[in-house]
Amino acid sequence: MTELDRRSLLVGSGLGMAAAALAISSAPQAGAAVTAPGRSTIRIGKQLINVVDLTHELTNDFNLTPGRPRIAMDPIVGSGYAVGMNLNRLMLVEHTGTHIDAPRHFDNNGKSLGEIPISDLVVPLALFDISARVAANPDTALMPDDVFAWEKKWGRLPAGCCVAINSGYDMIARVKAMQAGGPPADFHKSPGFGPEVCEMLITQRDVKGIAVDTGSIDRGSNSPAYPVHQRWLRSGRWGIEFLTNMQDVPPSGAVLIAGAAPIKDATGIPIRAIALF
Amino acid sequence: MTELDRRSLLVGSGLGMAAAALAISSAPQAGAAVTAPGRSTIRIGKQLINVVDLTHELTNDFNLTPGRPRIAMDPIVGSGYAVGMNLNRLMLVEHTGTHIDAPRHFDNNGKSLGEIPISDLVVPLALFDISARVAANPDTALMPDDVFAWEKKWGRLPAGCCVAINSGYDMIARVKAMQAGGPPADFHKSPGFGPEVCEMLITQRDVKGIAVDTGSIDRGSNSPAYPVHQRWLRSGRWGIEFLTNMQDVPPSGAVLIAGAAPIKDATGIPIRAIALF
């Protein structure tokens, strides 16, 4: 069968980004509580830790190809039906909503979801806010100079970290606009990673994953070759796409929990992504 | 369509439990590293935190009804195929492997997965090791007296906690034995929660979820009425089934991360369950 890959539809044009000057001036104080929806706190040992949900609710708003839903449910009438049990068979395209790309996504011999150890899924989070320049150039990429600037302020990228881009991309607004009028003319423009910084993070730093709030770790103009997907995933590392709420997470000092069910042979899966700091 | 519910097949008989005297003598020291597979450490603020993966890899070993797989994959040939992209349409029965039961599972008006806030999924973990008595009685239940004994040692159940049972149930050994010979005669016996403790936890304590390492929060002899599922989930609380590795988690002081993708209208989903302490 054939199906349009969602990347060709979901990559951003900058729609909804005008109001997205989501500056993070400094790291929140340890122990400071955040209480908005999607936020919580938890005590671990002697510390009160902030919790931020980085996950979009997975709805049919993510279905962008008419007649080809990315998620559907088929109720099962099982042995518990008589006592009120509800149970569904779920049809789910792996790379839907806030989700993880396993190396297998672009490497037949790469790790599937079931092979990614927990030590790779609970990692330091280095966050890059490029929302200020996205308004001017929706196809902007994270560059090695951004990493140098981050390190000048916060120190070297922590060992085994995830490097995440907060572009201010408003995925929900973007999808609704596209559903109303179809893909805009510049749908191949969206912020993301470029080959230069990808190569640097693989060869000169110790990074386990990269993450974005857009639909693709590749910036839009990289399509359809997906050079970052090819190089990054084939190096044995993972990617996360469609994060949200990153404006509430400090640039340095947070931990990312990539709550991905370890499904054997799967190339990706919707996750619960959580920041702790 | 009709389908046997997996609870009638997966509940335990005590198989594989003989060697499961998994005593936890005391809480590990803060900062002590655990490094076995499924274990890791992470620094959050000034603390070095232990990480334990409580999740089974989700394989076809969980398919117990011949001809009715609980998980299957259908490769999609999409726009990225030419550059090596792998992508699957996943067929997944919601309540498979290490998974969460949302209130919707037994309550048409209850919260679906997409409605459970992050504050309910990152919670203190109160762990009860009943493995010593499971060998003698595979249908043993957690009782109010167990809670009183735990509280005498560790203090009152923490606000908003998850109460989890470590029964020592070896799910993988159990499934393999059943696949080799079919359901054993006593397949309706497995440790779990009973109505008494369920009622106590709802009316006299502040508990957000209950969890087990078996296939059902209801002990086996509760089937087919599932009184704990009915009462607990209809009270707006969640359950988690098929946890593993709980022998490496302290009875008190750990935090549970229930990494459940927030899928609108879903009644459950395989998760990544993680303990931090």
Side-chain angles (χ1 to χ4, degrees):
Chain A
M1 89 202 65
T2 63
E3 181 178 270
L4 279 174
D5 181 72
R6 96 291 191 197
R7 287 205 178 76
S8 63
L9 290 171
L10 283 185
V11 289
S13 72
L15 241 170
M17 291 171 183
L22 304 169
I24 298 178
S25 55
S26 63
Q29 296 298 306
V34 283
T35 53
R39 283 64 166 174
S40 183
T41 58
I42 187 77
R43 187 164 293 282
I44 306 181
K46 294 175 180 171
Q47 291 184 138
L48 185 65
I49 305 287
N50 288 297
V51 181
V52 176
D53 192 351
L54 304 179
T55 322
H56 287 287
E57 184 179 6
L58 184 47
T59 74
N60 279 316
D61 284 346
F62 281 85
N63 292 344
L64 293 181
T65 317
R68 294 187 181 275
R70 302 189 67 83
I71 179 162
M73 291 180 199
D74 183 19
I76 297 171
V77 179
S79 64
Y81 183 73
V83 289
M85 182 188 291
N86 300 309
L87 179 66
N88 299 299
R89 185 173 284 109
L90 218 61
M91 189 293 295
L92 185 62
V93 176
E94 290 170 330
H95 299 260
T96 300
T98 302
H99 71 275
I100 191 166
D101 288 2
R104 181 74 57 90
H105 185 36
F106 267 78
D107 182 354
N108 295 340
N109 299 312
K111 285 181 182 173
S112 79
L113 269 182
E115 296 167 308
I116 302 178
I118 195 67
S119 53
D120 285 2
L121 297 175
V122 179
V123 297
L125 179 61
L127 187 56
F128 291 77
D129 184 343
I130 61 169
S131 59
R133 68 183 195 240
V134 165
N137 176 16
D139 197 53
T140 191
L142 193 72
M143 297 300 289
D145 277 352
D146 292 312
V147 177
F148 295 136
W150 191 97
E151 291 185 329
K152 193 168 178 185
K153 192 162 183 184
W154 304 106
R156 195 172 172 90
L157 286 177
C161 70
C162 170
V163 170
I165 294 175
N166 180 15
S167 74
Y169 181 94
D170 183 337
M171 183 267 156
I172 298 297
R174 171 80 180 150
V175 169
K176 286 188 189 304
M178 290 173 64
Q179 286 176 333
D186 59 351
F187 74 92
H188 272 305
K189 292 183 182 171
S190 70
F193 289 86
E196 303 85 352
V197 77
C198 174
E199 198 61 33
M200 176 201 180
L201 295 179
I202 290 173
T203 60
Q204 297 169 42
R205 295 294 186 278
D206 176 7
V207 178
K208 291 194 169 170
I210 55 176
V212 290
D213 54 352
T214 68
S216 177
I217 51 176
D218 268 288
R219 72 169 144 178
S221 62
N222 292 345
S223 303
Y226 304 113
V228 171
H229 278 81
Q230 292 200 45
R231 177 73 174 107
W232 188 259
L233 300 178
R234 287 175 192 159
S235 79
R237 296 169 172 83
W238 52 256
I240 293 178
E241 293 161 346
F242 283 133
L243 289 178
T244 187
N245 290 336
M246 282 193 281
Q247 73 280 0
D248 287 340
V249 179
S252 172
V255 164
L256 173 73
I257 312 272
I263 301 178
K264 182 177 164 66
D265 295 338
T267 77
I269 195 76
I271 66 174
R272 195 74 170 232
I274 303 166
L276 303 179
F277 53 91
Chain B
M1 88 202 67
T2 62
E3 181 178 271
L4 278 175
D5 182 72
R6 95 290 190 199
R7 287 204 178 78
S8 63
L9 289 171
L10 283 185
V11 290
S13 73
L15 242 170
M17 291 170 181
L22 304 169
I24 297 178
S25 55
S26 63
Q29 296 297 307
V34 283
T35 53
R39 283 64 167 174
S40 184
T41 58
I42 188 77
R43 187 164 293 283
I44 306 181
K46 294 176 182 171
Q47 291 184 139
L48 185 65
I49 305 287
N50 287 297
V51 181
V52 176
D53 192 352
L54 304 179
T55 322
H56 287 287
E57 185 179 5
L58 184 47
T59 74
N60 278 317
D61 285 346
F62 281 84
N63 292 345
L64 294 180
T65 318
R68 294 187 181 275
R70 302 188 67 82
I71 178 162
M73 291 180 199
D74 183 19
I76 297 171
V77 179
S79 64
Y81 183 73
V83 290
M85 182 188 290
N86 299 308
L87 179 66
N88 299 298
R89 185 173 285 107
L90 217 61
M91 190 292 295
L92 184 62
V93 176
E94 290 170 330
H95 299 260
T96 300
T98 302
H99 71 276
I100 191 166
D101 288 3
R104 181 73 57 89
H105 186 36
F106 268 78
D107 182 355
N108 295 341
N109 299 313
K111 285 181 183 172
S112 79
L113 269 183
E115 297 167 308
I116 302 178
I118 196 68
S119 53
D120 285 3
L121 298 176
V122 179
V123 297
L125 179 61
L127 187 56
F128 290 78
D129 184 344
I130 61 169
S131 60
R133 68 184 196 240
V134 165
N137 175 16
D139 197 54
T140 191
L142 193 73
M143 297 299 290
D145 277 352
D146 292 312
V147 177
F148 296 135
W150 190 99
E151 292 185 330
K152 194 168 176 186
K153 193 163 182 182
W154 304 107
R156 194 171 172 92
L157 286 177
C161 71
C162 169
V163 170
I165 294 175
N166 179 15
S167 74
Y169 183 93
D170 183 336
M171 183 270 157
I172 299 296
R174 170 81 180 149
V175 168
K176 286 188 188 305
M178 290 174 65
Q179 287 176 332
D186 58 351
F187 73 92
H188 273 305
K189 292 183 181 170
S190 70
F193 289 85
E196 304 85 351
V197 78
C198 174
E199 198 62 33
M200 175 201 180
L201 295 178
I202 290 173
T203 59
Q204 296 168 42
R205 294 295 185 277
D206 176 7
V207 179
K208 292 196 168 169
I210 54 177
V212 290
D213 54 351
T214 69
S216 177
I217 52 175
D218 268 287
R219 73 169 144 179
S221 62
N222 292 346
S223 303
Y226 303 113
V228 171
H229 278 80
Q230 292 200 46
R231 177 73 174 108
W232 188 260
L233 299 178
R234 287 174 191 159
S235 79
R237 296 170 173 82
W238 52 256
I240 292 178
E241 293 161 345
F242 284 133
L243 289 178
T244 188
N245 291 335
M246 281 194 281
Q247 72 280 1
D248 287 339
V249 179
S252 171
V255 163
L256 173 72
I257 313 272
I263 301 178
K264 181 177 164 68
D265 294 338
T267 76
I269 195 75
I271 66 173
R272 194 74 170 232
I274 303 166
L276 303 179
F277 55 92

